[in-house]
């Protein structure tokens, strides 16, 4: 999603509702403001051992967009990588 916003005279920025809803951000939530080479990154602060409910965790950590991978697929990928590393090492 690409949207634009303006900075107010007080330095405030409005995050569009669609973005806030998708990220489960609501009034009063704290955000880290991180300056990067490409611009500014807004994100919830790290949890740092804070005890939270599973519902709060799910709200803070959005679902991964990629489809789930089965254990068999993980094992296959691990074996393929291990095999490739072994072959590289033995070719030396």
């Amino acid at each position: 999603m690409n949207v634009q916003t303006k900075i107010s005279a007080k330095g405030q920025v409005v995050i569009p509702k669609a973005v806030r809803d998708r990220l489960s951000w609501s009034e009063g939530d704290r955000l880290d403001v991180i300056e990067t080479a490409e611009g500014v990154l807004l994100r919830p602060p790290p949890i740092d051992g804070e005890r939270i409910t599973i519902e709060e965790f799910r709200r803070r950590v959005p679902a991964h967009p990629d489809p789930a991978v089965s254990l068999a697929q993980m094992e296959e990928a691990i074996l393929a990588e291990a095999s490739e590393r072994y072959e590289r090492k033995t070719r030396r």
Side-chain angles (χ1 to χ4, degrees):
M1 172 183 288
N2 244 353
V3 294
Q4 289 187 345
T5 190
K6 291 188 213 176
I7 300 175
S8 75
K10 293 182 179 181
Q12 297 168 325
V13 175
V14 174
I15 300 170
K17 183 169 178 8
V19 174
R20 294 191 321 264
D21 288 348
R22 191 167 40 79
L23 297 172
S24 299
W25 290 354
S26 56
E27 181 181 348
D29 283 355
R30 292 191 168 282
L31 298 173
D32 284 342
V33 179
I34 301 159
E35 214 173 323
T36 71
E38 296 178 16
V40 175
L41 170 67
L42 296 176
R43 70 175 184 201
I47 296 173
D48 288 341
E50 170 187 1
R51 307 235 358 133
I52 60 172
T53 64
I54 191 69
E55 291 79 15
E56 176 66 11
F57 176 80
R58 286 186 178 135
R59 191 179 72 73
R60 290 186 188 186
V61 181
H64 197 279
D66 293 339
V69 179
S70 71
L71 286 176
Q73 290 170 311
M74 285 187 237
E75 288 173 356
E76 185 179 317
I78 291 167
L79 287 173
E81 178 66 20
S83 176
E84 185 178 313
R85 288 183 184 192
Y86 177 77
E87 287 176 21
R88 270 189 267 142
K89 187 176 180 180
T90 57
R91 278 188 248 147
R92 290 181 188 170

